[in-house]
Amino acid sequence: ETMDTARINIKRHRELKGLRQQDLADKLCMGLRSYQSLESGETKLDLERLAQIASILETSSAISKEKLE
């Protein structure tokens, strides 16, 4: 599924940038546990949140369609 790919790519891009989950949670004005739930798939990732994360990670929202290598 597209959003599963997005979650994997978010984690990959976050790690490549040297950011912790807490860093993204802070930038999104949310708690760490809430962010962890998004990244793990426990909480639904909507397109608005995906766009916010892509902006923070300085990548496009095409993050949801990138192929894993």
Side-chain angles (χ1 to χ4, degrees), residues 3-39:
M3 287 304 173
D4 290 335
T5 301
R7 279 190 276 281
I8 293 166
N9 285 327
I10 287 167
K11 180 178 180 180
R12 184 176 60 142
H13 282 276
R14 176 180 57 76
E15 291 172 342
L16 287 171
K17 293 265 185 195
L19 297 171
R20 301 169 300 143
Q21 288 181 328
Q22 183 67 62
D23 298 325
L24 250 67
D26 291 344
K27 290 176 186 289
L28 293 165
C29 299
M30 63 191 317
L32 174 60
R33 183 67 188 114
S34 295
Y35 177 79
Q36 288 171 328
S37 293
L38 278 178
E39 197 173 275

PDB file of all heavy atoms in Angstrom, residues 3-39:
ATOM      1  N   MET A   3       0.633   4.151   1.564  1.00  0.00           N
ATOM      2  CA  MET A   3       0.979   4.753   2.855  1.00  0.00           C
ATOM      3  C   MET A   3       1.974   3.900   3.629  1.00  0.00           C
ATOM      4  O   MET A   3       2.755   4.429   4.410  1.00  0.00           O
ATOM      5  CB  MET A   3      -0.277   5.033   3.687  1.00  0.00           C
ATOM      6  CG  MET A   3      -1.072   6.197   3.151  1.00  0.00           C
ATOM      7  SD  MET A   3      -0.064   7.700   3.037  1.00  0.00           S
ATOM      8  CE  MET A   3      -1.170   8.781   2.195  1.00  0.00           C
ATOM      9  N   ASP A   4       1.975   2.584   3.413  1.00  0.00           N
ATOM     10  CA  ASP A   4       3.000   1.744   4.043  1.00  0.00           C
ATOM     11  C   ASP A   4       4.371   2.112   3.486  1.00  0.00           C
ATOM     12  O   ASP A   4       5.343   2.239   4.230  1.00  0.00           O
ATOM     13  CB  ASP A   4       2.721   0.253   3.806  1.00  0.00           C
ATOM     14  CG  ASP A   4       1.507  -0.241   4.578  1.00  0.00           C
ATOM     15  OD1 ASP A   4       1.179   0.369   5.622  1.00  0.00           O
ATOM     16  OD2 ASP A   4       0.895  -1.226   4.142  1.00  0.00           O
ATOM     17  N   THR A   5       4.437   2.297   2.173  1.00  0.00           N
ATOM     18  CA  THR A   5       5.680   2.719   1.530  1.00  0.00           C
ATOM     19  C   THR A   5       6.090   4.079   2.066  1.00  0.00           C
ATOM     20  O   THR A   5       7.270   4.311   2.351  1.00  0.00           O
ATOM     21  CB  THR A   5       5.504   2.763   0.000  1.00  0.00           C
ATOM     22  OG1 THR A   5       5.134   1.466  -0.460  1.00  0.00           O
ATOM     23  CG2 THR A   5       6.783   3.211  -0.691  1.00  0.00           C
ATOM     24  N   ALA A   6       5.130   4.971   2.229  1.00  0.00           N
ATOM     25  CA  ALA A   6       5.421   6.313   2.750  1.00  0.00           C
ATOM     26  C   ALA A   6       6.038   6.227   4.135  1.00  0.00           C
ATOM     27  O   ALA A   6       7.043   6.886   4.414  1.00  0.00           O
ATOM     28  CB  ALA A   6       4.153   7.162   2.788  1.00  0.00           C
ATOM     29  N   ARG A   7       5.471   5.412   5.006  1.00  0.00           N
ATOM     30  CA  ARG A   7       6.001   5.288   6.370  1.00  0.00           C
ATOM     31  C   ARG A   7       7.444   4.785   6.362  1.00  0.00           C
ATOM     32  O   ARG A   7       8.289   5.289   7.090  1.00  0.00           O
ATOM     33  CB  ARG A   7       5.119   4.364   7.202  1.00  0.00           C
ATOM     34  CG  ARG A   7       3.906   5.041   7.752  1.00  0.00           C
ATOM     35  CD  ARG A   7       3.219   4.150   8.760  1.00  0.00           C
ATOM     36  NE  ARG A   7       2.334   3.187   8.118  1.00  0.00           N
ATOM     37  CZ  ARG A   7       1.120   3.480   7.677  1.00  0.00           C
ATOM     38  NH1 ARG A   7       0.649   4.683   7.799  1.00  0.00           N
ATOM     39  NH2 ARG A   7       0.370   2.563   7.126  1.00  0.00           N
ATOM     40  N   ILE A   8       7.715   3.794   5.541  1.00  0.00           N
ATOM     41  CA  ILE A   8       9.073   3.256   5.449  1.00  0.00           C
ATOM     42  C   ILE A   8      10.028   4.331   4.937  1.00  0.00           C
ATOM     43  O   ILE A   8      11.129   4.513   5.454  1.00  0.00           O
ATOM     44  CB  ILE A   8       9.100   2.004   4.549  1.00  0.00           C
ATOM     45  CG1 ILE A   8       8.328   0.869   5.225  1.00  0.00           C
ATOM     46  CG2 ILE A   8      10.535   1.578   4.241  1.00  0.00           C
ATOM     47  CD1 ILE A   8       7.989  -0.290   4.307  1.00  0.00           C
ATOM     48  N   ASN A   9       9.585   5.069   3.919  1.00  0.00           N
ATOM     49  CA  ASN A   9      10.429   6.118   3.356  1.00  0.00           C
ATOM     50  C   ASN A   9      10.621   7.284   4.321  1.00  0.00           C
ATOM     51  O   ASN A   9      11.697   7.882   4.359  1.00  0.00           O
ATOM     52  CB  ASN A   9       9.862   6.608   2.026  1.00  0.00           C
ATOM     53  CG  ASN A   9      10.117   5.614   0.910  1.00  0.00           C
ATOM     54  OD1 ASN A   9      11.122   4.924   0.896  1.00  0.00           O
ATOM     55  ND2 ASN A   9       9.203   5.536  -0.028  1.00  0.00           N
ATOM     56  N   ILE A  10       9.609   7.598   5.100  1.00  0.00           N
ATOM     57  CA  ILE A  10       9.751   8.648   6.114  1.00  0.00           C
ATOM     58  C   ILE A  10      10.848   8.258   7.087  1.00  0.00           C
ATOM     59  O   ILE A  10      11.742   9.063   7.386  1.00  0.00           O
ATOM     60  CB  ILE A  10       8.415   8.886   6.856  1.00  0.00           C
ATOM     61  CG1 ILE A  10       7.431   9.606   5.940  1.00  0.00           C
ATOM     62  CG2 ILE A  10       8.644   9.671   8.145  1.00  0.00           C
ATOM     63  CD1 ILE A  10       6.004   9.616   6.463  1.00  0.00           C
ATOM     64  N   LYS A  11      10.802   7.035   7.570  1.00  0.00           N
ATOM     65  CA  LYS A  11      11.823   6.589   8.514  1.00  0.00           C
ATOM     66  C   LYS A  11      13.204   6.653   7.868  1.00  0.00           C
ATOM     67  O   LYS A  11      14.162   7.139   8.472  1.00  0.00           O
ATOM     68  CB  LYS A  11      11.522   5.161   8.981  1.00  0.00           C
ATOM     69  CG  LYS A  11      12.541   4.651   9.969  1.00  0.00           C
ATOM     70  CD  LYS A  11      12.213   3.267  10.467  1.00  0.00           C
ATOM     71  CE  LYS A  11      13.271   2.808  11.457  1.00  0.00           C
ATOM     72  NZ  LYS A  11      13.004   1.473  11.967  1.00  0.00           N
ATOM     73  N   ARG A  12      13.295   6.192   6.637  1.00  0.00           N
ATOM     74  CA  ARG A  12      14.578   6.179   5.934  1.00  0.00           C
ATOM     75  C   ARG A  12      15.111   7.604   5.755  1.00  0.00           C
ATOM     76  O   ARG A  12      16.271   7.878   6.049  1.00  0.00           O
ATOM     77  CB  ARG A  12      14.426   5.489   4.582  1.00  0.00           C
ATOM     78  CG  ARG A  12      15.740   5.347   3.834  1.00  0.00           C
ATOM     79  CD  ARG A  12      15.538   4.572   2.567  1.00  0.00           C
ATOM     80  NE  ARG A  12      14.572   5.275   1.718  1.00  0.00           N
ATOM     81  CZ  ARG A  12      14.666   5.356   0.411  1.00  0.00           C
ATOM     82  NH1 ARG A  12      15.641   4.748  -0.219  1.00  0.00           N
ATOM     83  NH2 ARG A  12      13.774   6.012  -0.290  1.00  0.00           N
ATOM     84  N   HIS A  13      14.269   8.521   5.298  1.00  0.00           N
ATOM     85  CA  HIS A  13      14.692   9.913   5.105  1.00  0.00           C
ATOM     86  C   HIS A  13      15.044  10.574   6.442  1.00  0.00           C
ATOM     87  O   HIS A  13      15.994  11.350   6.518  1.00  0.00           O
ATOM     88  CB  HIS A  13      13.612  10.717   4.384  1.00  0.00           C
ATOM     89  CG  HIS A  13      13.571  10.477   2.918  1.00  0.00           C
ATOM     90  ND1 HIS A  13      14.375  11.130   2.029  1.00  0.00           N
ATOM     91  CD2 HIS A  13      12.824   9.621   2.170  1.00  0.00           C
ATOM     92  CE1 HIS A  13      14.134  10.696   0.800  1.00  0.00           C
ATOM     93  NE2 HIS A  13      13.189   9.778   0.867  1.00  0.00           N
ATOM     94  N   ARG A  14      14.273  10.277   7.471  1.00  0.00           N
ATOM     95  CA  ARG A  14      14.549  10.832   8.798  1.00  0.00           C
ATOM     96  C   ARG A  14      15.932  10.393   9.271  1.00  0.00           C
ATOM     97  O   ARG A  14      16.735  11.210   9.736  1.00  0.00           O
ATOM     98  CB  ARG A  14      13.469  10.375   9.796  1.00  0.00           C
ATOM     99  CG  ARG A  14      13.734  10.837  11.222  1.00  0.00           C
ATOM    100  CD  ARG A  14      12.657  10.373  12.185  1.00  0.00           C
ATOM    101  NE  ARG A  14      12.440   8.939  12.232  1.00  0.00           N
ATOM    102  CZ  ARG A  14      13.254   8.077  12.851  1.00  0.00           C
ATOM    103  NH1 ARG A  14      14.361   8.482  13.435  1.00  0.00           N
ATOM    104  NH2 ARG A  14      12.959   6.797  12.883  1.00  0.00           N
ATOM    105  N   GLU A  15      16.210   9.109   9.126  1.00  0.00           N
ATOM    106  CA  GLU A  15      17.505   8.583   9.555  1.00  0.00           C
ATOM    107  C   GLU A  15      18.653   9.150   8.717  1.00  0.00           C
ATOM    108  O   GLU A  15      19.719   9.461   9.247  1.00  0.00           O
ATOM    109  CB  GLU A  15      17.502   7.058   9.511  1.00  0.00           C
ATOM    110  CG  GLU A  15      16.601   6.461  10.588  1.00  0.00           C
ATOM    111  CD  GLU A  15      16.418   4.961  10.478  1.00  0.00           C
ATOM    112  OE1 GLU A  15      16.701   4.384   9.397  1.00  0.00           O
ATOM    113  OE2 GLU A  15      15.993   4.354  11.482  1.00  0.00           O
ATOM    114  N   LEU A  16      18.433   9.291   7.402  1.00  0.00           N
ATOM    115  CA  LEU A  16      19.461   9.880   6.529  1.00  0.00           C
ATOM    116  C   LEU A  16      19.783  11.319   6.932  1.00  0.00           C
ATOM    117  O   LEU A  16      20.923  11.761   6.786  1.00  0.00           O
ATOM    118  CB  LEU A  16      19.022   9.839   5.062  1.00  0.00           C
ATOM    119  CG  LEU A  16      19.054   8.465   4.395  1.00  0.00           C
ATOM    120  CD1 LEU A  16      18.397   8.524   3.018  1.00  0.00           C
ATOM    121  CD2 LEU A  16      20.482   7.952   4.283  1.00  0.00           C
ATOM    122  N   LYS A  17      18.788  12.040   7.436  1.00  0.00           N
ATOM    123  CA  LYS A  17      18.987  13.418   7.885  1.00  0.00           C
ATOM    124  C   LYS A  17      19.577  13.476   9.295  1.00  0.00           C
ATOM    125  O   LYS A  17      19.874  14.555   9.795  1.00  0.00           O
ATOM    126  CB  LYS A  17      17.660  14.176   7.889  1.00  0.00           C
ATOM    127  CG  LYS A  17      17.075  14.391   6.531  1.00  0.00           C
ATOM    128  CD  LYS A  17      17.488  15.739   6.029  1.00  0.00           C
ATOM    129  CE  LYS A  17      16.811  16.011   4.708  1.00  0.00           C
ATOM    130  NZ  LYS A  17      17.438  17.122   4.032  1.00  0.00           N
ATOM    131  N   GLY A  18      19.698  12.315   9.935  1.00  0.00           N
ATOM    132  CA  GLY A  18      20.232  12.286  11.295  1.00  0.00           C
ATOM    133  C   GLY A  18      19.256  12.786  12.341  1.00  0.00           C
ATOM    134  O   GLY A  18      19.659  13.243  13.410  1.00  0.00           O
ATOM    135  N   LEU A  19      17.966  12.685  12.028  1.00  0.00           N
ATOM    136  CA  LEU A  19      16.933  13.150  12.953  1.00  0.00           C
ATOM    137  C   LEU A  19      16.370  11.990  13.767  1.00  0.00           C
ATOM    138  O   LEU A  19      16.236  10.878  13.267  1.00  0.00           O
ATOM    139  CB  LEU A  19      15.797  13.828  12.184  1.00  0.00           C
ATOM    140  CG  LEU A  19      16.177  15.082  11.412  1.00  0.00           C
ATOM    141  CD1 LEU A  19      15.007  15.527  10.530  1.00  0.00           C
ATOM    142  CD2 LEU A  19      16.579  16.191  12.357  1.00  0.00           C
ATOM    143  N   ARG A  20      16.047  12.291  15.001  1.00  0.00           N
ATOM    144  CA  ARG A  20      15.379  11.311  15.864  1.00  0.00           C
ATOM    145  C   ARG A  20      13.864  11.470  15.704  1.00  0.00           C
ATOM    146  O   ARG A  20      13.392  12.490  15.211  1.00  0.00           O
ATOM    147  CB  ARG A  20      15.735  11.556  17.333  1.00  0.00           C
ATOM    148  CG  ARG A  20      17.215  11.483  17.643  1.00  0.00           C
ATOM    149  CD  ARG A  20      17.516  11.989  19.055  1.00  0.00           C
ATOM    150  NE  ARG A  20      17.069  13.378  19.154  1.00  0.00           N
ATOM    151  CZ  ARG A  20      16.513  13.914  20.248  1.00  0.00           C
ATOM    152  NH1 ARG A  20      16.343  13.218  21.344  1.00  0.00           N
ATOM    153  NH2 ARG A  20      16.108  15.174  20.244  1.00  0.00           N
ATOM    154  N   GLN A  21      13.137  10.477  16.149  1.00  0.00           N
ATOM    155  CA  GLN A  21      11.677  10.592  16.128  1.00  0.00           C
ATOM    156  C   GLN A  21      11.239  11.802  16.939  1.00  0.00           C
ATOM    157  O   GLN A  21      10.323  12.514  16.544  1.00  0.00           O
ATOM    158  CB  GLN A  21      11.028   9.317  16.673  1.00  0.00           C
ATOM    159  CG  GLN A  21      11.140   8.142  15.731  1.00  0.00           C
ATOM    160  CD  GLN A  21      10.472   6.902  16.277  1.00  0.00           C
ATOM    161  OE1 GLN A  21      10.433   6.674  17.492  1.00  0.00           O
ATOM    162  NE2 GLN A  21       9.947   6.085  15.383  1.00  0.00           N
ATOM    163  N   GLN A  22      11.919  12.061  18.047  1.00  0.00           N
ATOM    164  CA  GLN A  22      11.576  13.209  18.883  1.00  0.00           C
ATOM    165  C   GLN A  22      11.745  14.519  18.119  1.00  0.00           C
ATOM    166  O   GLN A  22      10.952  15.446  18.271  1.00  0.00           O
ATOM    167  CB  GLN A  22      12.437  13.234  20.144  1.00  0.00           C
ATOM    168  CG  GLN A  22      12.081  14.362  21.105  1.00  0.00           C
ATOM    169  CD  GLN A  22      10.702  14.175  21.719  1.00  0.00           C
ATOM    170  OE1 GLN A  22      10.460  13.195  22.413  1.00  0.00           O
ATOM    171  NE2 GLN A  22       9.794  15.114  21.475  1.00  0.00           N
ATOM    172  N   ASP A  23      12.766  14.598  17.269  1.00  0.00           N
ATOM    173  CA  ASP A  23      12.985  15.803  16.473  1.00  0.00           C
ATOM    174  C   ASP A  23      11.792  16.082  15.558  1.00  0.00           C
ATOM    175  O   ASP A  23      11.320  17.221  15.472  1.00  0.00           O
ATOM    176  CB  ASP A  23      14.263  15.677  15.629  1.00  0.00           C
ATOM    177  CG  ASP A  23      15.517  15.513  16.476  1.00  0.00           C
ATOM    178  OD1 ASP A  23      15.591  16.109  17.569  1.00  0.00           O
ATOM    179  OD2 ASP A  23      16.425  14.786  16.033  1.00  0.00           O
ATOM    180  N   LEU A  24      11.323  15.047  14.874  1.00  0.00           N
ATOM    181  CA  LEU A  24      10.168  15.230  13.994  1.00  0.00           C
ATOM    182  C   LEU A  24       8.915  15.540  14.796  1.00  0.00           C
ATOM    183  O   LEU A  24       8.122  16.405  14.405  1.00  0.00           O
ATOM    184  CB  LEU A  24       9.950  14.010  13.101  1.00  0.00           C
ATOM    185  CG  LEU A  24      10.274  14.281  11.632  1.00  0.00           C
ATOM    186  CD1 LEU A  24      11.724  14.536  11.421  1.00  0.00           C
ATOM    187  CD2 LEU A  24       9.735  13.220  10.761  1.00  0.00           C
ATOM    188  N   ALA A  25       8.736  14.856  15.907  1.00  0.00           N
ATOM    189  CA  ALA A  25       7.571  15.117  16.758  1.00  0.00           C
ATOM    190  C   ALA A  25       7.551  16.583  17.181  1.00  0.00           C
ATOM    191  O   ALA A  25       6.507  17.246  17.107  1.00  0.00           O
ATOM    192  CB  ALA A  25       7.595  14.203  17.981  1.00  0.00           C
ATOM    193  N   ASP A  26       8.698  17.105  17.579  1.00  0.00           N
ATOM    194  CA  ASP A  26       8.776  18.511  17.999  1.00  0.00           C
ATOM    195  C   ASP A  26       8.417  19.443  16.851  1.00  0.00           C
ATOM    196  O   ASP A  26       7.661  20.391  17.025  1.00  0.00           O
ATOM    197  CB  ASP A  26      10.181  18.846  18.509  1.00  0.00           C
ATOM    198  CG  ASP A  26      10.523  18.161  19.824  1.00  0.00           C
ATOM    199  OD1 ASP A  26       9.606  17.660  20.511  1.00  0.00           O
ATOM    200  OD2 ASP A  26      11.725  18.118  20.161  1.00  0.00           O
ATOM    201  N   LYS A  27       8.950  19.173  15.657  1.00  0.00           N
ATOM    202  CA  LYS A  27       8.688  20.032  14.493  1.00  0.00           C
ATOM    203  C   LYS A  27       7.218  19.967  14.063  1.00  0.00           C
ATOM    204  O   LYS A  27       6.696  20.915  13.479  1.00  0.00           O
ATOM    205  CB  LYS A  27       9.600  19.644  13.337  1.00  0.00           C
ATOM    206  CG  LYS A  27      11.065  20.006  13.601  1.00  0.00           C
ATOM    207  CD  LYS A  27      11.963  19.524  12.483  1.00  0.00           C
ATOM    208  CE  LYS A  27      13.422  19.735  12.790  1.00  0.00           C
ATOM    209  NZ  LYS A  27      13.853  21.111  12.753  1.00  0.00           N
ATOM    210  N   LEU A  28       6.561  18.845  14.354  1.00  0.00           N
ATOM    211  CA  LEU A  28       5.147  18.673  14.007  1.00  0.00           C
ATOM    212  C   LEU A  28       4.222  19.099  15.148  1.00  0.00           C
ATOM    213  O   LEU A  28       3.007  18.967  15.041  1.00  0.00           O
ATOM    214  CB  LEU A  28       4.868  17.206  13.641  1.00  0.00           C
ATOM    215  CG  LEU A  28       5.535  16.717  12.362  1.00  0.00           C
ATOM    216  CD1 LEU A  28       5.495  15.191  12.291  1.00  0.00           C
ATOM    217  CD2 LEU A  28       4.859  17.330  11.144  1.00  0.00           C
ATOM    218  N   CYS A  29       4.825  19.577  16.258  1.00  0.00           N
ATOM    219  CA  CYS A  29       4.056  19.996  17.437  1.00  0.00           C
ATOM    220  C   CYS A  29       3.172  18.864  17.958  1.00  0.00           C
ATOM    221  O   CYS A  29       1.973  19.038  18.207  1.00  0.00           O
ATOM    222  CB  CYS A  29       3.217  21.239  17.136  1.00  0.00           C
ATOM    223  SG  CYS A  29       4.196  22.657  16.652  1.00  0.00           S
ATOM    224  N   MET A  30       3.781  17.698  18.083  1.00  0.00           N
ATOM    225  CA  MET A  30       3.051  16.557  18.616  1.00  0.00           C
ATOM    226  C   MET A  30       3.955  15.796  19.576  1.00  0.00           C
ATOM    227  O   MET A  30       5.168  15.994  19.587  1.00  0.00           O
ATOM    228  CB  MET A  30       2.543  15.646  17.488  1.00  0.00           C
ATOM    229  CG  MET A  30       3.606  15.006  16.649  1.00  0.00           C
ATOM    230  SD  MET A  30       3.053  14.171  15.111  1.00  0.00           S
ATOM    231  CE  MET A  30       1.627  13.286  15.556  1.00  0.00           C
ATOM    232  N   GLY A  31       3.376  14.945  20.372  1.00  0.00           N
ATOM    233  CA  GLY A  31       4.143  14.160  21.316  1.00  0.00           C
ATOM    234  C   GLY A  31       4.905  13.042  20.616  1.00  0.00           C
ATOM    235  O   GLY A  31       4.543  12.619  19.511  1.00  0.00           O
ATOM    236  N   LEU A  32       5.942  12.548  21.278  1.00  0.00           N
ATOM    237  CA  LEU A  32       6.762  11.484  20.725  1.00  0.00           C
ATOM    238  C   LEU A  32       5.921  10.243  20.438  1.00  0.00           C
ATOM    239  O   LEU A  32       6.019   9.655  19.361  1.00  0.00           O
ATOM    240  CB  LEU A  32       7.907  11.130  21.676  1.00  0.00           C
ATOM    241  CG  LEU A  32       8.769   9.930  21.277  1.00  0.00           C
ATOM    242  CD1 LEU A  32       9.425  10.151  19.918  1.00  0.00           C
ATOM    243  CD2 LEU A  32       9.801   9.635  22.350  1.00  0.00           C
ATOM    244  N   ARG A  33       5.098   9.854  21.377  1.00  0.00           N
ATOM    245  CA  ARG A  33       4.289   8.638  21.197  1.00  0.00           C
ATOM    246  C   ARG A  33       3.350   8.776  20.002  1.00  0.00           C
ATOM    247  O   ARG A  33       3.163   7.824  19.238  1.00  0.00           O
ATOM    248  CB  ARG A  33       3.498   8.326  22.474  1.00  0.00           C
ATOM    249  CG  ARG A  33       2.702   7.051  22.386  1.00  0.00           C
ATOM    250  CD  ARG A  33       3.611   5.814  22.307  1.00  0.00           C
ATOM    251  NE  ARG A  33       2.807   4.649  22.044  1.00  0.00           N
ATOM    252  CZ  ARG A  33       2.850   3.913  20.939  1.00  0.00           C
ATOM    253  NH1 ARG A  33       3.699   4.201  19.972  1.00  0.00           N
ATOM    254  NH2 ARG A  33       2.078   2.871  20.784  1.00  0.00           N
ATOM    255  N   SER A  34       2.784   9.947  19.813  1.00  0.00           N
ATOM    256  CA  SER A  34       1.895  10.168  18.665  1.00  0.00           C
ATOM    257  C   SER A  34       2.670  10.037  17.361  1.00  0.00           C
ATOM    258  O   SER A  34       2.186   9.438  16.399  1.00  0.00           O
ATOM    259  CB  SER A  34       1.244  11.555  18.740  1.00  0.00           C
ATOM    260  OG  SER A  34       0.392  11.635  19.844  1.00  0.00           O
ATOM    261  N   TYR A  35       3.881  10.603  17.337  1.00  0.00           N
ATOM    262  CA  TYR A  35       4.696  10.486  16.132  1.00  0.00           C
ATOM    263  C   TYR A  35       5.081   9.030  15.882  1.00  0.00           C
ATOM    264  O   TYR A  35       5.013   8.546  14.753  1.00  0.00           O
ATOM    265  CB  TYR A  35       5.957  11.361  16.193  1.00  0.00           C
ATOM    266  CG  TYR A  35       6.774  11.139  14.950  1.00  0.00           C
ATOM    267  CD1 TYR A  35       6.416  11.763  13.766  1.00  0.00           C
ATOM    268  CD2 TYR A  35       7.823  10.225  14.934  1.00  0.00           C
ATOM    269  CE1 TYR A  35       7.098  11.499  12.591  1.00  0.00           C
ATOM    270  CE2 TYR A  35       8.511   9.951  13.767  1.00  0.00           C
ATOM    271  CZ  TYR A  35       8.140  10.593  12.603  1.00  0.00           C
ATOM    272  OH  TYR A  35       8.802  10.309  11.440  1.00  0.00           O
ATOM    273  N   GLN A  36       5.472   8.337  16.941  1.00  0.00           N
ATOM    274  CA  GLN A  36       5.842   6.920  16.792  1.00  0.00           C
ATOM    275  C   GLN A  36       4.680   6.117  16.220  1.00  0.00           C
ATOM    276  O   GLN A  36       4.883   5.225  15.394  1.00  0.00           O
ATOM    277  CB  GLN A  36       6.271   6.334  18.147  1.00  0.00           C
ATOM    278  CG  GLN A  36       7.606   6.848  18.617  1.00  0.00           C
ATOM    279  CD  GLN A  36       7.920   6.436  20.050  1.00  0.00           C
ATOM    280  OE1 GLN A  36       7.025   6.292  20.888  1.00  0.00           O
ATOM    281  NE2 GLN A  36       9.196   6.260  20.333  1.00  0.00           N
ATOM    282  N   SER A  37       3.475   6.448  16.647  1.00  0.00           N
ATOM    283  CA  SER A  37       2.284   5.759  16.136  1.00  0.00           C
ATOM    284  C   SER A  37       2.090   6.011  14.650  1.00  0.00           C
ATOM    285  O   SER A  37       1.674   5.112  13.909  1.00  0.00           O
ATOM    286  CB  SER A  37       1.036   6.200  16.904  1.00  0.00           C
ATOM    287  OG  SER A  37       1.101   5.757  18.229  1.00  0.00           O
ATOM    288  N   LEU A  38       2.387   7.226  14.190  1.00  0.00           N
ATOM    289  CA  LEU A  38       2.300   7.531  12.759  1.00  0.00           C
ATOM    290  C   LEU A  38       3.336   6.722  11.981  1.00  0.00           C
ATOM    291  O   LEU A  38       3.023   6.115  10.960  1.00  0.00           O
ATOM    292  CB  LEU A  38       2.556   9.015  12.504  1.00  0.00           C
ATOM    293  CG  LEU A  38       1.426   9.985  12.692  1.00  0.00           C
ATOM    294  CD1 LEU A  38       1.917  11.405  12.440  1.00  0.00           C
ATOM    295  CD2 LEU A  38       0.274   9.669  11.774  1.00  0.00           C
ATOM    296  N   GLU A  39       4.573   6.740  12.468  1.00  0.00           N
ATOM    297  CA  GLU A  39       5.650   6.086  11.735  1.00  0.00           C
ATOM    298  C   GLU A  39       5.479   4.563  11.717  1.00  0.00           C
ATOM    299  O   GLU A  39       5.866   3.912  10.748  1.00  0.00           O
ATOM    300  CB  GLU A  39       7.005   6.479  12.338  1.00  0.00           C
ATOM    301  CG  GLU A  39       8.162   6.190  11.407  1.00  0.00           C
ATOM    302  CD  GLU A  39       9.488   6.718  11.906  1.00  0.00           C
ATOM    303  OE1 GLU A  39       9.798   7.888  11.679  1.00  0.00           O
ATOM    304  OE2 GLU A  39      10.223   5.931  12.539  1.00  0.00           O
TER     305      GLU A  39
END
